[in-house]
Amino acid sequence: MNNKAVILGCNYYIGLSTIRNLGVHGIHTVAVDYSEKGAYGAKSKYCSERLIAPHYKKETKKFIRFLINYAREQSAPPVLIPCHDSYVEIIDEHLEELKKCYLIPQTETGLYTKLMNKEILHQIAQENGVKVPETVKVNDENLIEKVENIIKFPCLVKPVDSPTFVAKFRRKLFKVHNIEELKTALEKAKKANLEVIVQRIIPGFDDHMYTYDAYLDQNSKVTHWLTCQKYRQYPINFGASVYTGQKYVPELHEIGATFFEKIGYKGFAEIEFKKDAETGQYYLIEINVRITNINQLLYKVGVNIPYITYQELTGSPVPPKAIEEDTDVRFWCGYEDLYAIRDYVKTKQLSLMSIIKSLLFKPKAYAIWDWKDPIPAFSNSGMIVSKVLKRVLRIPTGSKSNKTKKSI
């Protein structure tokens, strides 16, 4: 196979799992990061090549030129796989340039970005008959009145542009319980020059969160899919998966496949749904248009998304497949789950005994650990220990001597 796989972003376990999923098939994987620091995914034995590129956001033009120059040096066009929303945005913005020398599933410029934009996504979903939580725009007339009568408290102040919001506030959203908290949240967003919306909270605990994970071919037809159920997330209630299980929910396929095919989507995407605890209806919460946290779970139950993507784009498509049974395999990110468990128990949302029972006798798809490829886990553990020691010992980020040297 002459086509290399270029993976953007390997300082998180999404990039690591992507490298492993391709490497086990002997595919030449290229890990691209803007810094060696923290990129433990590139330490996998399945990583064939490592590149340090200009920063995708600070030096966007240089970054794009770097990718293009690398591709032109190859004997065959590489497959380009982003593993973070910020990389997706950059690819979408420069899609026409990049498609001349890379293999990329999506052909419609701007579609990725539209689906990542909460406001536009809700409009597209409603136009295609998919339920979304009631939402009010910040510039709507009688905003407070609409929030009190339609949205009701507590409610969510969510960003239109999630990656920028998360980078600024280190959280996915603001949960507000009254008018004062609402005004404070809106003011914070305004000062940061970030657009937000106000949204109703769909009733139901975290285990009412589900995902529909699907791959669509170049004819925009779903060829591979499965559904999953979240059990715990971090931050709790409104965070990312830390303990999730594969769960067959055919209704989600009916909603998700119809939606994706109508809008002409190509490649992999994941819809996050929430099941209303009172009505049983499923509401679309957001869409991930790149490889996700639970990628290793998908691989473990037999749906290797990075490999499916690679094979289709290089002309050897994998036969269609759907997981239409409950395998009971659980994705588990142990380190982040510890923080989640602490908060669930502290807020009395879960008992420690129920959590322990959930972890017993379940086949696991680990976020980082792999007996056959242990180095990334050791590297990540070293980073965690270093951070903990700095907090405990209150070691400053730079020593006095280092600061003196920098000032000279």
Side-chain angles (χ1 to χ4, degrees):
M1 289 176 278
N2 294 325
N3 305 86
K4 296 180 179 180
V6 174
I7 296 102
L8 304 180
C10 302
N11 59 355
Y12 196 52
Y13 53 78
I14 296 175
L16 170 61
S17 66
T18 300
I19 289 171
R20 285 171 170 167
N21 292 176
L22 294 168
V24 293
H25 289 281
I27 295 167
H28 185 107
T29 58
V30 184
V32 178
D33 288 280
Y34 57 84
S35 171
E36 292 186 4
K37 185 179 180 181
Y40 58 86
K43 296 184 178 180
S44 168
K45 72 176 186 179
Y46 298 107
C47 181
S48 312
E49 189 177 347
R50 184 172 187 180
L51 303 175
I52 301 300
H55 196 283
Y56 58 89
K57 209 159 192 175
K58 296 176 182 177
E59 299 178 291
T60 303
K61 288 184 179 180
K62 289 183 178 180
F63 174 70
I64 295 300
R65 180 52 49 192
F66 177 90
L67 291 180
I68 291 173
N69 288 342
Y70 178 79
R72 286 175 175 170
E73 293 171 356
Q74 310 309 311
S75 60
V79 175
L80 190 60
I81 304 178
C83 292
H84 189 278
D85 287 341
S86 294
Y87 284 115
V88 172
E89 290 178 328
I90 298 299
I91 290 174
D92 206 17
E93 184 180 348
H94 299 271
L95 187 61
E96 292 306 313
E97 292 175 76
L98 292 170
K99 281 192 74 68
K100 292 176 182 177
C101 49
Y102 281 95
L103 301 177
I104 303 171
Q106 194 55 46
T107 56
E108 181 185 334
T109 300
L111 183 57
Y112 284 150
T113 306
K114 287 176 184 176
L115 297 179
M116 290 170 66
N117 182 298
K118 298 294 190 294
E119 192 172 343
I120 298 175
L121 170 60
H122 281 214
Q123 182 182 337
I124 294 173
Q126 288 177 318
E127 289 172 355
N128 288 277
V130 178
K131 290 185 177 298
V132 292
E134 291 82 350
T135 303
V136 175
K137 296 180 181 179
V138 174
N139 58 0
D140 279 5
E141 290 185 14
N142 306 317
L143 170 65
I144 301 300
E145 182 181 335
K146 288 182 178 180
V147 171
E148 289 183 316
N149 297 327
I150 300 173
I151 306 298
K152 302 186 184 301
F153 290 106
C155 60
L156 306 176
V157 175
K158 298 180 70 173
V160 169
D161 178 4
S162 289
T164 306
F165 186 94
V166 172
K168 174 66 179 178
F169 295 110
R170 299 298 176 189
R171 60 171 71 182
K172 295 177 70 173
L173 49 79
F174 294 128
K175 182 179 180 181
V176 298
H177 300 81
N178 52 53
I179 293 174
E180 285 305 312
E181 289 185 8
L182 173 62
K183 289 180 178 178
T184 299
L186 295 179
E187 186 60 29
K188 285 182 180 179
K190 185 178 181 181
K191 284 183 178 179
N193 199 31
L194 292 172
E195 190 178 352
V196 292
I197 54 177
V198 184
Q199 191 175 92
R200 178 172 80 93
I201 296 176
I202 303 301
F205 182 58
D206 289 3
D207 61 2
H208 282 60
M209 292 294 299
Y210 294 82
T211 68
Y212 173 67
D213 297 86
Y215 185 85
L216 289 90
D217 64 17
Q218 290 299 293
N219 295 314
S220 295
K221 295 296 180 184
V222 173
T223 57
H224 299 77
W225 66 271
L226 71 158
T227 55
C228 301
Q229 180 181 10
K230 286 188 180 182
Y231 294 105
R232 294 191 292 276
Q233 47 192 353
Y234 185 75
I236 64 171
N237 307 137
F238 304 102
S241 298
V242 293
Y243 190 68
T244 294
Q246 182 274 321
K247 178 78 172 179
Y248 176 50
V249 186
E251 187 177 344
L252 298 185
H253 175 58
E254 294 170 14
I255 300 170
T258 302
F259 173 74
F260 280 139
E261 291 176 359
K262 275 186 178 180
I263 66 173
Y265 193 87
K266 298 172 184 176
F268 172 75
E270 176 187 86
I271 302 179
E272 288 195 17
F273 287 97
K274 187 166 186 182
K275 184 178 182 180
D276 191 314
E278 297 173 0
T279 66
Q281 294 181 318
Y282 291 96
Y283 286 79
L284 183 153
I285 302 300
E286 67 178 14
I287 293 181
N288 291 307
V289 293
R290 41 87 185 148
I291 306 297
T292 67
N293 292 45
I294 61 172
N295 183 53
Q296 200 60 22
L297 169 61
L298 276 54
Y299 170 77
K300 186 109 178 182
V301 299
V303 181
N304 186 338
I305 293 299
Y307 183 66
I308 291 165
T309 304
Y310 180 92
Q311 289 297 98
E312 194 212 0
L313 295 180
T314 55
S316 303
V318 176
K321 184 174 183 178
I323 308 301
E324 298 178 284
E325 61 179 346
D326 293 338
T327 63
D328 215 23
V329 177
R330 305 292 173 91
F331 164 80
W332 189 34
C333 180
Y335 176 66
E336 292 179 356
D337 194 26
L338 285 175
Y339 287 100
I341 290 169
R342 175 199 64 189
D343 294 343
Y344 281 120
V345 173
K346 185 178 179 181
T347 56
K348 298 182 179 180
Q349 295 183 53
L350 288 173
S351 68
L352 186 57
M353 184 55 67
S354 69
I355 292 169
I356 292 172
K357 286 181 179 179
S358 74
L359 292 169
L360 296 176
F361 312 117
K362 302 290 184 183
K364 305 289 194 310
Y366 297 103
I368 300 174
W369 177 251
D370 186 334
W371 285 102
K372 297 179 181 178
D373 185 30
I375 300 302
F378 293 146
S379 176
N380 183 62
S381 297
M383 290 162 50
I384 292 170
V385 170
S386 178
K387 287 180 182 178
V388 171
L389 286 175
K390 284 181 179 180
R391 288 176 187 170
V392 172
L393 301 176
R394 296 182 180 178
I395 299 173
T397 53
S399 67
K400 189 174 181 181
S401 59
N402 285 339
K403 290 181 180 179
T404 302
K405 287 179 182 179
K406 287 180 181 179
S407 64
I408 291 175

